[in-house]
Every structure is written in C-alpha cells, then in structure tokens.
Amino acid sequence: MSTDNTTILQGKKILLGVSGSIAAYKAATLTRLLVKAGAEVKVVMTPAAADFITPLTLATLSKNEVPLHISDHNSWNNHVMLGRWADVMLIAPASANTIAKMAQGLCDNLLLATYLSATCPVFFAPAMDEDMWHHPATRHNVEKLLSYGHRQLPVVSGELASGLFGEGRMAEPEQIIAYLQQHFLQTNPDTTKPLAGKLAIVTAGPTIEHIDPVRYISNHSSGKMGIAIAETLADAGAQVKLVLGPTHLGTTHPGVETIPVQSAADMLQQVVAAFPQATVVVAAAAVADYRPSQAADKKIKKGEAQLSIALEKTTDILRTLGDTKGPQQLLVGFSLETNNEKEYALKKLREKHLDLIVMNSLADAGAGFNYDTNKVTLFDRNGQERSFPLKSKQAVAQDIVSAIIELQHA
C-alpha cells in the first residue's frame, strides 16, 4: 500500500531547537503543524530566541515545558535525555551564530548542549541576511555541518529583516514539514514506487571556468531540464542528489538534495564521490569541455588589441563514469547538437558506455537552453529509438524517467 502523507509524522518525536533570529516567530506555526500531524514535539531555545518568541507560547503549542537555561531545574541532565529521546532534531531557525557554534562544537547554552548530546539525525534551517549567508565563514561552517551528516534545509529568497531582498530567509514551515515527511519516507520507503531505495545522481545547469577573478567561460544552460528530471526521479521513489551548476533556479522538492558546484572539476569531484552508491546517474549538465590552463589571480587589464587564452581539456565526467560503472548501474547522457545529431548521439552512447542517451537539437524550435519546452529522441543501449514531440520539460522528464524504469527492469 502507498503511504498516506498525513500519517507519516504520527508518533514521531521531534526535538525543535529555536535560536535567536527574527524567523523564530515561524517556530509557532511549525510547532502547531507538527502537533497537528501527530508528532510529539519538545522545544529547546537559546536565551536570544526568547527575545523574539516566548517559551510560554511554544510550551502551550507543543504541550511540553520549554527549558531555556542550562541551569534551570532538571535542565543540567535533561539535555542528555532530550538528545537521546528524539527521532529527529530540527534547528529552525538556525542563525549564523548558532551554525558557527555547532560547527565548532561550542556549548554555551542549552540548545547547543542538547545538540551535542543528540544521537538522532539533525536538520537545520538557516535564517540570516544574504551577506551573512554568502560570507565565506558561514559557507565553511555549513559545509562542516554537512560533513557531519547533518541535513540543511534550503534557504529561500525574498524580503529579509534588513529590508533587502535576497537569499537567507528560513524555509516556510510547510516546506519543513514536507522535508521531514520525506526523511521518514526514506527511512521507511514506500516500496510500491518503482525507484524506492535507489540513489540517483543528476547533474544540471552550466559550469563556469574562471579566466580571472571577474571573468569566466560558461554557457547558456539554465538547469531547467535537469531539475525537472531530479524532481521526477524523486517522485518515483529515488533518493536524489542534484549536483547543480551556477543558476538562479533550484528545487524545494523534499526528495532532492541539492549540491551546488561551479566548475567542471567541482562537479566531477561531487559525482565521483557519490557514484559508488548510485543506481542511476543522469548527466544533464552542460559541462565545459575546456578551461583556461591557468587562471589569472588578478583582473586582466585592457592592453593589446588581441588577447590569447590558452585552454586545456576538462576531465570528461561521463567517460569517467562509463569506464567504471558496474552492471547494476544505469548511466544516462545528453547530446545537444546543431548538426549530424543522430550520428553524434550514437557515437557518444557507444564510446562512453551509456545505457540511454537523450538527443535534442538547437535547430528545433522551442528546444535547447532556457526554454520551458524540449523535443527529444531517446536511444537506449539495445538500439531502440523513440522520438517525442515538443513537450514541457516536466513532461519530457516523465518520458526519460519512464525509460530509466524500463531499463531498470529489463
């Protein structure tokens, strides 16, 4: 039987940590939604969080006492018990200060003491201004938490407390609920879905190769096709890692973990690291074939009438995977051409040991970069050819994933 999403959180023990951020007001809605979904909720707060929302409010909504100070009655030992009690610890909002302390293992308040005692999966929902979110120190701290195996909920773009617009808003409570549901679904997967229990890697978007600190080589890929495929694979039950090059687009699908990269080398590193555990890889990214052999460390100033830049080949990600893939792994590539489309697509299919290649042409109206539509032809390893009319990229993603499922069961 298929799992009813309304019952996934029934009886689950959620430990909610609230840190000092204006987004702390969302903790009230989040607590209410968790309780409504049948979860048992306990809340710990930092003293700074109490400046934004009172412990009484969250105690009333959670139906559990909310300790605030580590010296409070029973709190000295209680943080250890709380850390062992929970099925999931969710820190929302997670301020820049709290993220930094978590990364360093500091323990100067009850929330952090409880975090260090947690034996369960930890999720954190960052909330801060855009400049703080993009600061190298914050990026380093987030990467450190991810290396601990923690899960970051995506930040949202919009109006910030500073009055500016940009990235840094905490995910909305409804999105957080969806991510928790997906976590528990993956822990107890819906085995009726065709890709349940499978890890899929999808690459999407462009890569950029730096010429100097302000210039780079790239292409027009938006990442739309790859993102649609990642979401469709997740809908089919797969756990999806989306390795996404620089683009303004993204996904909030709870079954998709986004790994942002910039260069072809970055993308190769992330894909190769995850590949041994993967069942399916869909390489939809437009990866640079060449990069400057040496990037300047300072801006190149205008001088002579002509400027020559020496280029070197990047490592071919698809060929690297194709040369090492196992018999149970499926490798899907894309072939975007301007001429001799079928000839080049079939050559790529053979030479890179692919199981499926998706061919499209820049000569077809409504296909290619930045469109919401695409027109593709699929060639599989058995020589079967299937052509489709112009469709939305979401519909094309359904066709591609259906072909993947067929090959999985062939």
Side-chain angles (χ1 to χ4, degrees), residues 18-336:
V18 183
S19 67
S21 162
I22 185 61
Y25 79 90
K26 295 182 181 180
T29 301
L30 180 56
T31 301
R32 182 180 61 79
L33 291 176
L34 286 167
V35 171
K36 185 178 179 181
E40 185 178 353
V41 182
K42 293 187 179 181
V43 182
V44 291
M45 304 174 65
T46 65
D51 293 334
F52 298 97
I53 186 170
T54 69
L56 178 60
T57 298
L58 296 176
T60 302
L61 292 170
S62 68
K63 302 179 176 61
N64 282 300
E65 181 183 355
V66 177
L68 186 59
H69 299 286
I70 202 164
S71 58
D72 287 347
H73 178 63
N74 289 330
S75 291
W76 181 252
N77 294 320
N78 195 36
H79 70 274
V80 177
M81 294 300 103
L82 282 171
R84 290 175 173 267
W85 165 84
D87 294 316
V88 159
M89 183 173 190
L90 166 64
I91 301 172
S95 66
N97 185 49
T98 290
I99 288 173
K101 290 180 177 181
M102 290 167 63
Q104 297 303 316
L106 299 182
C107 184
D108 62 357
N109 60 49
L110 181 59
L111 188 156
L112 292 167
T114 305
Y115 159 69
L116 288 177
S117 302
T119 57
C120 58
V122 175
F123 288 71
F124 62 102
M128 63 198 73
D129 211 75
E130 183 175 43
D131 292 334
M132 298 172 72
W133 174 241
H134 288 296
H135 194 281
T138 303
R139 306 312 310 148
H140 173 76
N141 291 331
V142 168
E143 288 169 8
K144 203 164 188 180
L145 294 186
L146 295 176
S147 75
Y148 298 160
H150 301 339
R151 297 287 297 274
Q152 180 220 311
L153 279 71
V155 298
V156 180
S157 294
E159 186 175 6
L160 305 170
S162 63
L164 300 174
F165 284 79
E167 285 187 317
R169 284 173 61 94
M170 186 180 102
E172 294 302 319
E174 293 80 5
Q175 291 177 298
I176 295 174
I177 294 292
Y179 270 85
L180 291 177
Q181 289 174 332
Q182 186 65 29
H183 164 74
F184 287 112
L185 273 176
Q186 290 171 357
T187 305
N188 300 287
D190 180 355
T191 55
T192 64
K193 292 189 174 183
L195 296 178
K198 310 293 186 184
L199 172 63
I201 302 170
V202 179
T203 67
T207 62
I208 62 174
E209 309 300 330
H210 283 283
I211 297 170
D212 63 20
V214 298
R215 303 179 182 92
Y216 56 80
I217 299 170
S218 190
N219 56 66
H220 295 294
S221 175
S222 65
K224 288 180 182 178
M225 190 71 255
I227 291 169
I229 292 170
E231 292 175 340
T232 305
L233 285 166
D235 287 340
Q239 176 190 351
V240 182
K241 291 182 180 290
L242 174 63
V243 185
L244 184 62
T247 174
H248 68 285
L249 300 177
T251 178
T252 58
H253 195 297
V256 179
E257 176 190 357
T258 300
I259 302 171
V261 296
Q262 287 203 333
S263 68
D266 296 337
M267 186 169 283
L268 174 69
Q269 180 183 15
Q270 293 295 336
V271 172
V272 168
F275 186 54
Q277 290 76 43
T279 300
V280 176
V281 178
V282 181
V287 184
D289 294 321
Y290 292 89
R291 65 181 170 219
S293 56
Q294 186 170 2
D297 58 359
K298 296 181 180 178
K299 180 182 175 183
I300 299 172
K301 304 301 290 183
K302 186 186 297 184
E304 301 297 325
Q306 293 183 336
L307 173 67
S308 296
I309 299 174
L311 301 177
E312 62 183 14
K313 275 189 174 182
T314 59
T315 301
D316 190 319
I317 297 175
L318 264 179
R319 187 180 294 276
T320 300
L321 300 182
D323 288 344
T324 59
K325 76 182 180 78
Q328 303 304 316
Q329 292 179 302
L330 281 176
L331 189 56
V332 182
F334 273 67
S335 181
L336 175 63

Side-chain angles (χ1 to χ4, degrees), residues 2-24:
S2 180
T3 305
D4 180 359
N5 279 11
T6 62
T7 64
I8 294 169
L9 297 179
Q10 184 71 42
K12 297 297 188 290
K13 298 173 182 176
I14 310 296
L15 178 58
L16 176 61
V18 183
S19 67
S21 162
I22 185 61

